[in-house]
Amino acid sequence: MEFKLCENGNTQTITRHCCSYICAFLNSDGGTLYFGVKESTLSGKKSVVIGMQNFRNEKKRDLLRGQIVSSLLQMRPAVNCVSPRIDIEFIPVSFT
């Protein structure tokens, strides 16, 4: 399980992180990558969900999904993006 903050919501940065981690996950036992989470520190603080404000609307989420899939299709050997092993989803976060 990996966490990335990516507060600014830069799609290129997120796509680059996704491709790097997906490549690593495919070459190992798999894994899960969460964006919008501030990772815990060595001092023992717990990870904190920050969320990603830039991806509240469906159009931006679809754009990011498309960029990730497009990048994965360019990897060699080819990555099967329809595989049940790769799932790109956005989980709503609500703060109370």
Side-chain angles (χ1 to χ4, degrees):
M1 190 175 316
E2 295 291 331
F3 301 109
K4 291 290 172 197
L5 187 54
C6 288
E7 284 180 290
N8 66 0
N10 181 310
T11 58
Q12 291 175 335
T13 302
I14 293 169
T15 300
R16 191 173 61 249
H17 283 306
C18 279
C19 289
S20 295
Y21 279 96
I22 289 172
C23 182
F25 292 157
L26 290 170
N27 284 307
S28 64
D29 291 329
T32 304
L33 177 60
Y34 293 100
F35 285 95
V37 179
K38 186 176 181 180
E39 194 166 10
S40 60
T41 61
L42 296 175
S43 64
K45 291 185 180 179
K46 293 183 180 181
S47 297
V48 178
V49 175
I50 305 294
M52 295 177 65
Q53 304 298 323
N54 293 356
F55 295 97
R56 286 186 176 193
N57 76 47
E58 192 67 30
K59 187 175 180 178
K60 287 190 177 186
R61 293 192 297 263
D62 286 345
L63 174 69
L64 179 59
R65 263 191 210 99
Q67 287 179 341
I68 293 168
V69 168
S70 176
S71 293
L72 290 174
L73 290 172
Q74 294 174 27
M75 293 174 90
R76 295 294 173 253
V79 175
N80 179 0
C81 295
V82 223
S83 165
R85 295 177 64 189
I86 298 175
D87 186 24
I88 302 168
E89 63 180 293
F90 293 85
I91 302 168
V93 177
S94 60
F95 297 97
T96 55

